[in-house]
Amino acid sequence: MNARDTILARVREALSVEGPGPHQRAGDKAGHGHPPAAPVRGALPVVALEAARPWLPDGGATPEERAAILEGNLARLKAVLHRVPTLHRARDLLFALARERDWKRVAWHAEALVEALLPGIPCALHRVDAPAGPAADSAAGKDALESCDAGITACEALVAQTGSILVSSATCGGRSLSVLPPVHVVVASPGQIVATLADALDLARDRHAGAMPSMLSFITGPSRTGDIERILVLGAHGPKELIVILVDDVGS
Amino acid sequence: MSATGQSADAVKIPPPAAEAPAAGAKRRFVADARTFVRETDRRAFLRRALAGYEATRDTQKARYRDWEQARDAANLAKWNAVNRLDEMLVRFAEAFEAGGGKVHWARDAEEARGIILGIVRDCGARAIIKSKCMTSEEIHLNAALEAEGYGVVESDLGEFIQQLRGEPPFHFVFPCMHVLRGEISKLFEEHLGSAPTNEPEELTMIARRHMRRLYVEADVGITGGNFLVAETGQISITENEGNARLTAALPRVHVALVGIEKCVERLDDLAVLLPMLATAGTGQPLTCYNTLYGGPRRPGETDGPREMHVVLLDNGRSAILADPEQRDSLQCIRCGACLNVCPIFKNVGGFTYGTTYQGPIGSVITPHLRGLADWNHLSQASSLCGACTDACPVRIDIHHHLLHNRRNAVRGTPSRLGRAAHRAFAFVAARPRLFALGGALFRRTLWLAKRLRPPPLSAWLATRDLPRPPARSFREQWRSRPLPALASAPAARERP
Ligand code: SF4
C-alpha cells in the first residue's frame, strides 16, 4: 500500500471506534469535569457556526459603526488611518508622505484606485506587474522591489471586527508587494469595509468563485515580533508601517 | 553551531533535550527540572513575561461578546474535522491538487524527510529559507538537510536565535522566551558581527537586515501550516513577523509540512478559529498575517512560487486518533495557552520536557507519539489544577488526559507491590476497628518521622516540611463536634 492509502486506512480504522461527542460546556465557567454532550453524527450543522458569529468581537451593524470599530482597531494595532473626502486630497496626502519620508522609489500595481494617485508623485516608480522589464519573480525583479521605500496596493476588503486588510495575489499586485517594502500603503474606499472575518471570507469566495487567488492574506497591523523578552517591536520582517488611506468619493 | 552567547550575568541553561533518545528521559527530566528550578532569575523573568501575556489576553477576551460560547464553536469546528478526518483529508487533497499544487503523504518522520529532500534535490536548490514550523522540529528536518549539504536558515526571529544558539525551541509559540537581550546581543555580535546593543528594537533590526538578502536568494521556502481547509484546498498560515509571507512569496518552490490533524471542513470555520488562536496564543485580536495558500502562482499573477508542495504528516497522529478517550487532543491548534498558564512549565521551563511539544499538551501527546513506557513521567508533571483545560480555546480536556495516561501506564505494567498494597488497604478499610488502630499508629509514626528524620526520608525532607500530625483522628473529632446545627435542623423542618 502506498503512503496515502496506508494513512487513510489507519484513520478509518481509528475512527471505526466511536468517540465522545464535542465538549459543549458553555455556561459552566470552570469548563471541565462534565460528561461530554451526546455524540453528533454526520456533517456539522452549518447553523452552529452561523450562530458563533454573534459571540465573537463586534463588527458593527451600520456602515458608520463599522467605520468607527475599524478605526479603533487600527489605532490599537498601531496602523495609521487617513480618511479623506476625494482622490485629490488622497494624492496630496501621499505626495506629502513621499516628501516627508524622502522616498526614492515606490512600488505599485495597475489598479484604478492606485493608478489615480500616482501622476506627479515626487519620486521614482516601480510597477510590479509591468508588461515589459524584468519579471517580478526574476532575480532582478525581486531586487528592484526589495530596494523600494514603499509599496502601494489596493485591497479586497477591510474587516472592522479585527482591524484587518484582506489582500489577494490576484488583485493586489501579487504576493511580495504588500510585504517586502518597509512601508505598506493601502488605498481603499469606505464601501469596502465589512463587519466580520466571516463576511470577508464570504466576499472572497463569491468574488473569486471557482478560481480563488493562490494567496489570500489578512493583514492585521504592521509586522511585529515579541520574541525578544516579549517586548513588542514593529517591522520584524514585513512592513514597519501600515498606512490606510480611505477615500470617501472615489469618483472624484 | 555550538556557541551560546552568555553574558556575565547569564545563568546556565540545561542542554538541548529535544533530540534526547527515549531511554533515560525520566532521569533527564528530573535532573533538568532541578537545574532550572535553581535559576531563580530566569524563572522570575519567565513569570513576569507570562503575567504580561495573561493581562493582554484578558483584555482581548473581554472584547468577545461571549468567550465561552466562542470556545464551544471552536471546539465543534475542530471536533467535526477530527472525527471525519479521512473524508477531510481526501477532500483537501483533491481540492489542493485542483489548484495546481502537489500533495505528498508521509507515514513517519523518515518518509517526510525523504520527500522533502527529494523535492529540494529535484529543483536543484542550494539555499533554503524556513519559517517557523514545529512539524519540522518533530522530524529533525534541518539536520537532515544540512547533512546533505544544504544551507538552511530559520527566518522567524525566535527560531533564528535558537538556531544560532544550537538549541531547540523553548516554547512552541515563543521559541526563545527564556533568553535575555544581553545574551542575544552577544550572540549576534559573534555570528553576525553586529555592534552590541541593549535595545530589543535594534536587535530585531539586525536580524531583519541580515535576513533580507536570504529571502531574495533562497530557492526553496519551507513553512508549516495551521489549518488545511477541506472545502477549498487551502493551507492557512498564521504568523506575526511577515517571514512566512516572504518565505512563500520569493523562492521558486514552496513546501508546507503539515500534520494530518490540521484539517477544518469549511473556510467559514476559520472565522472562529483564527481569532481564537490569536487571542488564546498571544492576546491579539488576530495575528498579524493570516494567509491562505491554494497552490503555486496562478496564470495572471505577478509573482509567487512556480511549485507548491504540501507534505501531510502522520507520524503517530493516527495512533492518537485510535484512542477515542484522548482523540480530542488532536483538536489542538497549538496556541500555546496551556503552557503559558501552567505552574509546572513556569517552574521547570520548556527544555526539561525533552519533547518537541512542551507543556501540558506535549505531556498528553508525547507518550502516544513516542511510547508510553518512556514518556509516562510527563503525566506526573502536573498539579492537575486544570489551568490548562480552562485556557484551551478548543476545550481539550488536557488535565484529565494526563490522568488517563497515568492510569494507562499502570494498567500496562501492574506492579505487584502496588496491587498488594491496595489489597491490604481494602482489607483494613473494611474493618473500622483495624482502621482506627492503623490511623493511630500512622499519626505516631508521622510524629516520630518529623522529629527523627531518618534516611531515606531525610532526603525528601531536605526541601519539604511534613505536616504536623493531628492529635486526634477525624472520626474522634467528628464524634465530639458541637451539635447546634444538627439540633436546629429538625425544628426548621417542623415549621409550617
Ligand atoms: S491544547 Fe489547547 S491550549 Fe494547549 S496549545 Fe493546544 S489548543 Fe492551545
Side-chain angles (χ1 to χ4, degrees), chain A residues 30 49 137 176 180 214 238, chain B residues 208 212 269 297 301 303 390:
Chain A
L49 285 161
D137 65 346
S176 329
L180 189 58
S214 70
Chain B
R208 178 189 170 102
R212 286 186 84 77
D269 295 348
R297 65 182 276 195
E301 293 181 356
D303 61 353
D390 284 349

Side-chain angles (χ1 to χ4, degrees), chain A residues 53-232:
Chain A
R53 295 184 180 187
W55 305 327
L56 299 170
D58 195 9
T62 63
E64 293 72 35
E65 267 177 45
R66 290 197 275 275
I69 294 173
L70 178 72
E71 192 175 339
N73 276 332
L74 285 174
R76 271 197 292 273
L77 291 162
K78 302 192 190 331
V80 179
L81 173 70
H82 296 284
R83 188 151 179 176
V84 293
T86 61
L87 276 174
H88 211 81
R89 296 287 295 278
R91 200 176 303 145
D92 292 346
L93 188 89
L94 186 67
F95 290 8
L97 272 172
R99 266 191 295 269
E100 183 188 302
R101 312 287 172 93
D102 194 21
W103 287 344
K104 302 275 182 289
R105 211 145 74 106
V106 165
W108 64 290
H109 69 109
E111 197 275 344
L113 209 48
V114 177
E115 261 180 298
L117 297 191
L118 297 178
I121 192 168
C123 64
L125 288 171
H126 168 65
R127 182 177 156 193
V128 291
D129 50 0
D137 65 346
S138 66
K142 291 182 204 172
D143 281 342
L145 181 60
E146 204 272 326
S147 65
C148 287
D149 300 296
I152 308 181
T153 75
C155 70
E156 296 251 343
L158 298 139
V159 187
Q161 182 184 47
T162 53
S164 310
I165 291 138
L166 176 61
V167 298
S168 86
S169 50
T171 59
C172 307
R175 296 194 186 189
S176 329
L177 178 59
S178 54
V179 74
L180 189 58
V183 180
H184 179 199
V185 181
V186 181
V187 200
S189 74
Q192 289 181 282
I193 305 175
V194 298
T196 64
L197 217 49
D199 293 338
L201 290 168
D202 283 350
L203 180 141
R205 198 173 13 205
D206 293 347
R207 186 177 295 163
H208 303 285
M212 282 278 212
S214 70
M215 183 205 80
L216 280 171
S217 188
F218 289 95
I219 299 176
T220 310
S223 152
R224 62 197 57 211
T225 184
D227 274 345
I228 300 175
E229 297 193 2
R230 309 295 321 132
I231 294 165
L232 177 71

Side-chain angles (χ1 to χ4, degrees), chain B residues 203-221:
Chain B
L203 289 166
T204 305
M205 293 310 133
I206 291 167
R208 178 189 170 102
R209 282 192 295 270
H210 173 74
M211 211 66 77
R212 286 186 84 77
R213 289 302 324 154
L214 303 178
Y215 289 116
V216 173
E217 283 158 13
D219 310 292
V220 176

Side-chain angles (χ1 to χ4, degrees), chain B residues 78-118:
Chain B
K78 279 302 298 186
W79 177 88
N80 170 55
V82 166
N83 282 276
R84 293 162 63 206
L85 193 58
D86 48 338
E87 184 194 334
M88 296 299 124
L89 286 167
V90 170
R91 278 171 62 188
F92 168 79
E94 269 171 21
F96 183 76
E97 296 211 314
K102 174 126 184 52
V103 177
H104 308 259
W105 303 74
R107 280 165 282 213
D108 53 27
E110 195 189 332
E111 193 164 18
R113 286 192 299 264
I115 291 167
I116 295 175
L117 275 170

Side-chain angles (χ1 to χ4, degrees), chain B residues 469-490:
Chain B
R472 296 185 307 154
S473 76
F474 175 75
R475 290 200 296 178
E476 286 162 358
Q477 291 177 43
W478 178 258
R479 236 178 268 128
S480 60
R481 74 198 182 282
L483 290 173
L486 205 67
S488 68

Side-chain angles (χ1 to χ4, degrees), chain B residues 405-422:
Chain B
N405 277 344
R406 291 185 191 182
R407 180 204 59 205
N408 295 349
V410 180
R411 196 194 266 158
T413 53
S415 114
R416 267 216 212 119
L417 188 67
R419 263 189 302 174
H422 272 112

Side-chain angles (χ1 to χ4, degrees), chain B residues 111-335:
Chain B
E111 193 164 18
R113 286 192 299 264
I115 291 167
I116 295 175
L117 275 170
I119 296 170
V120 169
R121 239 180 259 130
D122 285 350
C123 72
R126 278 155 304 128
I128 299 167
I129 194 131
K130 277 181 67 198
S131 74
K132 195 168 179 307
C133 169
M134 289 312 295
T135 39
S136 80
E137 299 286 336
E138 183 183 328
I139 68 164
H140 304 306
L141 182 62
N142 288 9
L145 289 167
E146 278 160 7
E148 296 272 316
Y150 297 104
V152 191
V153 180
E154 293 286 350
S155 60
D156 172 84
L157 179 58
E159 292 282 343
F160 178 60
I161 290 168
Q162 289 309 93
Q163 190 184 26
L164 292 183
R165 289 170 66 91
E167 283 177 347
F170 180 86
H171 176 302
F172 59 71
V173 176
F174 312 138
C176 68
M177 72 177 307
H178 63 300
V179 189
L180 305 172
R181 62 181 87 178
E183 299 171 286
I184 298 171
S185 171
K186 258 279 180 65
L187 188 70
F188 284 179
E189 218 181 315
E190 232 167 82
H191 290 273
L192 311 178
S194 58
T197 168
N198 219 7
E199 285 304 314
E201 165 137 31
E202 183 48 33
L203 289 166
T204 305
M205 293 310 133
I206 291 167
R208 178 189 170 102
R209 282 192 295 270
H210 173 74
M211 211 66 77
R212 286 186 84 77
R213 289 302 324 154
L214 303 178
Y215 289 116
V216 173
E217 283 158 13
D219 310 292
V220 176
I222 298 178
T223 69
N226 297 80
F227 300 100
L228 303 167
V229 186
E231 176 194 357
T232 55
Q234 289 167 308
I235 299 177
S236 173
I237 300 181
T238 292
E239 51 138 357
N240 262 320
E241 299 183 357
N243 61 311
R245 281 281 312 269
L246 290 165
T247 302
L250 296 166
R252 61 177 199 275
V253 176
H254 174 197
V255 183
L257 173 63
V258 192
I260 52 172
E261 84 283 14
K262 294 288 173 199
C263 291
V264 293
E265 183 173 16
R266 279 184 303 261
L267 197 52
D268 252 17
D269 295 348
L270 298 187
V272 180
L273 290 169
L274 296 179
M276 299 292 286
L277 171 59
T279 302
T282 50
Q284 289 174 271
L286 204 59
T287 316
C288 202
Y289 299 97
N290 281 282
T291 311
L292 288 154
Y293 295 99
R297 65 182 276 195
R298 304 243 197 282
E301 293 181 356
T302 49
D303 61 353
R306 298 282 174 170
E307 277 175 44
M308 180 173 179
H309 302 263
V310 57
V311 182
L312 299 175
L313 179 70
D314 180 346
N315 205 30
R317 287 161 174 79
S318 52
I320 304 183
L321 196 67
D323 178 357
E325 192 172 50
Q326 296 189 39
R327 191 173 286 165
D328 70 349
S329 60
L330 286 181
Q331 295 170 17
C332 174
I333 56 176
R334 298 282 186 269
C335 69

